[in-house]
């Protein structure tokens, strides 16, 4: 008799687990079908999820002008990712030439820094720009320009700026170390871009 009730109990547990798998609400992350690799396989898909969370529908992805580009040919390539209600975009330019940090601080309302790389943060557009040193034998002053934007930051949602700072740090390290192979890229620290107040208005 005890054995019979044990079997009945086990059967009930199995049915409950099966029903839960079907009817239990999925997490937001589960509902985002993001591939393992995005933007021409340059970035890990998981890195995009924090800034796409809250969106819905299938991920749409497009690359323009051969993203991510390279040292020989870089005509401002772009990668855009989006679901309904959320988007993330990357733009690269090489070669680029950095503005003096002192002058940049005077002109910008927010300064963005990641070790030896620096640029600005624009609250209105929800974008971070970074000029990453990426010298060549011919010109030691050249840099890799990176612009990363996200709708969550642009719309002023809670945590949007911090998540954008995390993603920009990751993107900067990935592009400088693995794609453009910039000399000194190992000096880019782990972690997010640091955003501080500048002296300007833009």
């Amino acid at each position: 008799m005890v054995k019979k009730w044990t079997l009945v109990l086990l059967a009930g547990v199995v049915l409950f687990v099966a029903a839960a798998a079907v009817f239990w609400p999925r997490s937001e992350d589960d509902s985002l079908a993001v591939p393992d690799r995005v933007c021409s396989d340059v970035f890990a898909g998981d890195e995009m999820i924090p800034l796409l969370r809250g969106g819905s529908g299938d991920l749409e992805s497009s690359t323009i002008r051969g993203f991510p580009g390279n040292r020989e040919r870089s005509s401002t390539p772009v990668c855009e990712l989006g679901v309904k209600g959320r988007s993330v975009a990357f733009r690269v330019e090489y070669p680029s030439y950095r503005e003096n940090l002192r002058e940049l601080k005077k002109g910008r309302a927010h300064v963005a820094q990641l070790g030896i790389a620096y640029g600005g943060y624009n609250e209105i557009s929800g974008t971070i720009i970074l000029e990453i040193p990426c010298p060549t034998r011919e010109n030691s002053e050249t840099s890799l320009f990176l612009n990363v934007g996200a709708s969550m930051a642009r719309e002023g949602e809670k945590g949007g700026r911090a998540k954008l700072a995390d993603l920009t740090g990751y993107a900067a390290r990935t592009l400088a170390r693995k794609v453009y192979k910039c000399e000194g890229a190992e000096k880019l620290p782990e972690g997010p871009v640091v955003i501080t107040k500048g002296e300007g208005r833009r």
Side-chain angles (χ1 to χ4, degrees), residues 103-121:
E103 294 301 316
L104 185 145
K105 287 181 177 179
K106 289 181 180 179
R108 287 195 171 274
H110 296 91
V111 177
Q113 290 186 265
L114 184 70
I116 58 176
Y118 57 78
Y121 171 65

Side-chain angles (χ1 to χ4, degrees), residues 6-98:
T6 300
L7 291 173
V8 171
L9 180 61
L10 287 173
V13 170
V14 170
L15 286 173
F16 175 80
V17 171
V22 174
F23 297 108
W24 197 267
R26 293 186 300 172
S27 70
E28 289 180 335
D29 285 0
D30 289 341
S31 66
L32 290 173
V34 180
D36 290 339
R37 308 297 299 180
V38 296
C39 296
S40 303
D41 292 336
V42 173
F43 302 130
D46 285 350
E47 297 289 341
M48 310 298 134
I49 289 177
L51 284 161
L52 296 176
R53 185 177 290 126
S56 61
D58 295 332
L59 179 74
E60 294 186 3
S61 174
S62 66
T63 57
I64 305 170
R65 294 182 291 275
F67 187 90
N70 55 58
R71 283 184 180 273
E72 287 72 35
R73 184 180 181 183
S74 180
S75 53
T76 318
V78 173
C79 175
E80 298 176 335
L81 305 167
V83 293
K84 186 177 180 180
R86 290 284 186 271
S87 64
V88 178
F90 304 87
R91 180 163 64 93
V92 178
E93 184 177 328
Y94 184 86
S96 185
Y97 300 91
R98 298 203 295 176

Side-chain angles (χ1 to χ4, degrees), residues 142-156:
T142 58
S143 63
L144 171 65
F145 172 90
L146 173 63
N147 179 308
V148 184
S151 60
M152 186 181 285
R154 182 174 64 251
E155 293 162 8

Side-chain angles (χ1 to χ4, degrees), residues 99 101 103-113 118-130 153 161 164 193-202:
E99 183 179 356
L101 180 57
E103 294 301 316
L104 185 145
K105 287 181 177 179
K106 289 181 180 179
R108 287 195 171 274
H110 296 91
V111 177
Q113 290 186 265
Y118 57 78
Y121 171 65
N122 188 311
E123 285 184 304
I124 296 174
S125 62
T127 59
I128 293 175
I129 63 167
L130 279 183
R161 189 172 87 167
L164 178 61
V193 169
V194 177
I195 299 173
T196 57
K197 286 188 176 182
E199 302 169 17
R201 294 183 178 180
R202 63 185 175 93

